[in-house]
Amino acid sequence: MTDYKNLLKKIHEKYLPSTKGSLASYIPELAKIDPNLFAISITTVDGKTYSHGDINSFFTLQSTSKPFTYGLALMDHGPEFVHQRVGVEPSGEAFNSIIELEKNSHRPFNPMINSGAIAVASMIQDKLLDNNEIYIRSDRMLDLFSSLCGKKLEINEQVFLSEKKTAHRNRAIAHLLRHFDVIGNDIEESLDLYFKQCSVEINIIDLSQMAATLANQGVQPISKIKIYDEQYITDMIGLIFTCGMYDTAGAWAYQVGIPAKSGVSGAIFGVIPGVMGIAVYSPLIDDHGHSVRGVNAIKDISQELKLNIFRQQKR
Ligand code: GLN
């Protein structure tokens, strides 16, 4: 039996002294966070969680939310509709690239970069329920994310408003998408949903359960509730792998071999299909927007547990 708890403790001790990276100051609220926070968690597909570090610290999902909203769009509309408006190719550019849209179609390259995630957010609409009540899009997103963690999640209003007020670049991207008819007229509503999904607050155990739900074919491994249709899980994991680490996706595939998604809050998760979800949180990020301690911790976990998905699989 692998001693996961001890492994996480060892890796935590190894990287805690590192102070490389900086806080994501372009969202003012994120610049106020304690840079020393560091937490790691693994949840296996049979529902066991092992964690170490600041497990009670809350942080916002930021871009780690993108695959989960993409999954919701797939369930709402199917892949054909979704991929008429957003592609499936890595862009080789930074997450917030404003110039790169696909030639001719003018689609964003993929759902993991900001332009693609804003296009995806525009596809999530309010729903009219049988009792004539309106189920608003942000509640639909929040309820879905809550079911992934098996508990009621909240939006961090300060972070949401902080990003909304300062999001000139994302607003420019959204208007460009409107210009090319990738999104409709509800530009501010689409941006609001995007900022809200980025501002959902979780802790490290929640994030490892979200990742483990992907590893477990869309079934939350503790509640056993089916959250995503199995057919869409491979789409989600495929794009997490090729596009989740943006302009370092190639090096990541080569060095680590684990589908992974990062966010500028310092959250990062990895998915080992059929095995486990891994989550790390530490707010100091590198120039690509990845947690420095997070990247190192996942690399070590991959090596120590031989998780590179390109290794020979034993059956
Ligand atoms: N909310 C952030 C933004 O749009 C998310 C970016 C990220 O986590 N890489 O800039």
Side-chain angles (χ1 to χ4, degrees):
M1 254 298 281
T2 316
D3 188 349
Y4 290 128
K5 182 90 192 134
N6 203 39
L7 173 68
L8 299 189
K9 183 166 175 273
K10 199 175 85 182
I11 293 174
H12 190 274
E13 274 166 11
K14 179 172 169 192
Y15 292 112
L16 187 62
S18 154
T19 53
K20 284 199 197 114
S22 48
L23 295 166
S25 55
Y26 77 98
I27 300 176
E29 207 57 29
L30 294 185
K32 298 182 187 164
I33 290 172
D34 175 0
N36 293 315
L37 293 172
F38 186 18
I40 319 180
S41 179
I42 282 175
T43 297
T44 58
V45 290
D46 55 1
K48 294 193 185 70
T49 298
Y50 308 85
S51 313
H52 193 80
D54 296 301
I55 55 174
N56 296 315
S57 294
F58 281 86
F59 54 90
T60 53
L61 280 169
Q62 297 305 330
S63 287
T64 57
S65 64
K66 289 170 178 169
F68 300 101
T69 317
Y70 166 58
L72 179 57
L74 288 176
M75 290 197 291
D76 275 3
H77 303 285
E80 201 181 324
F81 177 98
V82 171
H83 290 298
Q84 267 159 13
R85 292 156 183 83
V86 56
V88 293
E89 289 298 334
S91 68
E93 294 286 332
F95 66 88
N96 57 4
S97 171
I98 201 160
I99 32 169
E100 288 297 324
L101 294 175
E102 281 186 358
K103 282 203 190 79
N104 305 324
S105 74
H106 303 297
R107 295 179 305 183
F109 271 80
N110 66 70
M112 302 298 146
I113 49 177
N114 290 10
S115 55
I118 293 167
V120 165
S122 80
M123 298 173 203
I124 311 301
Q125 296 287 325
D126 297 348
K127 243 188 181 168
L128 188 63
L129 299 178
D130 289 344
N131 61 6
N132 274 340
E133 263 178 39
I134 296 176
Y135 189 13
I136 61 168
R137 55 189 97 186
S138 56
D139 284 347
R140 296 187 58 218
M141 175 276 297
L142 195 58
D143 288 348
L144 177 84
F145 287 14
S146 296
S147 63
L148 286 160
C149 303
K151 71 182 208 202
K152 186 88 196 86
L153 300 178
E154 311 266 347
I155 288 166
N156 181 322
E157 285 293 322
Q158 280 102 316
V159 174
F160 165 64
L161 292 174
S162 175
E163 178 163 17
K164 185 178 159 83
K165 261 193 247 156
T166 54
H168 307 297
R169 189 171 178 124
N170 281 330
R171 199 159 274 116
I173 290 174
H175 280 274
L176 194 63
L177 296 178
R178 174 67 195 88
H179 170 78
F180 286 120
D181 286 323
V182 173
I183 68 174
N185 282 330
D186 51 352
I187 301 173
E188 279 304 314
E189 289 86 345
S190 304
L191 282 168
D192 264 14
L193 183 72
Y194 172 70
F195 302 144
K196 281 184 181 164
Q197 71 178 62
C198 288
S199 305
V200 171
E201 205 166 46
I202 44 147
N203 64 27
I204 200 66
I205 294 172
D206 300 328
L207 188 61
S208 83
Q209 290 188 16
M210 291 174 88
T213 305
L214 299 181
N216 196 32
Q217 292 298 304
V219 176
Q220 213 281 1
I222 292 150
S223 70
K224 310 276 187 237
I225 293 172
K226 178 136 199 103
I227 302 190
Y228 290 108
D229 298 340
E230 206 170 317
Q231 56 177 321
Y232 300 136
I233 288 289
T234 40
D235 300 2
M236 294 162 74
I237 298 178
L239 292 187
I240 290 171
F241 187 62
T242 51
C243 311
M245 298 297 278
Y246 318 121
D247 47 339
T248 66
W252 182 263
Y254 173 73
Q255 292 167 359
V256 191
I258 291 182
K261 184 77 206 81
S262 72
V264 289
S265 52
I268 179 166
F269 73 79
V271 180
I272 320 299
V275 182
M276 64 171 69
I278 305 167
V280 186
Y281 168 61
S282 190
L284 293 175
I285 57 172
D286 64 20
D287 293 344
H288 307 278
H290 312 318
S291 167
V292 178
R293 291 189 187 108
V295 160
N296 286 325
I298 295 193
K299 271 186 193 164
D300 279 21
I301 293 172
S302 169
Q303 249 164 28
E304 295 265 347
L305 300 179
K306 303 185 175 35
L307 295 176
N308 187 318
I309 60 170
F310 299 113
R311 289 176 69 101
Q312 175 79 40
Q313 305 289 306
K314 295 203 175 61
R315 286 190 188 269

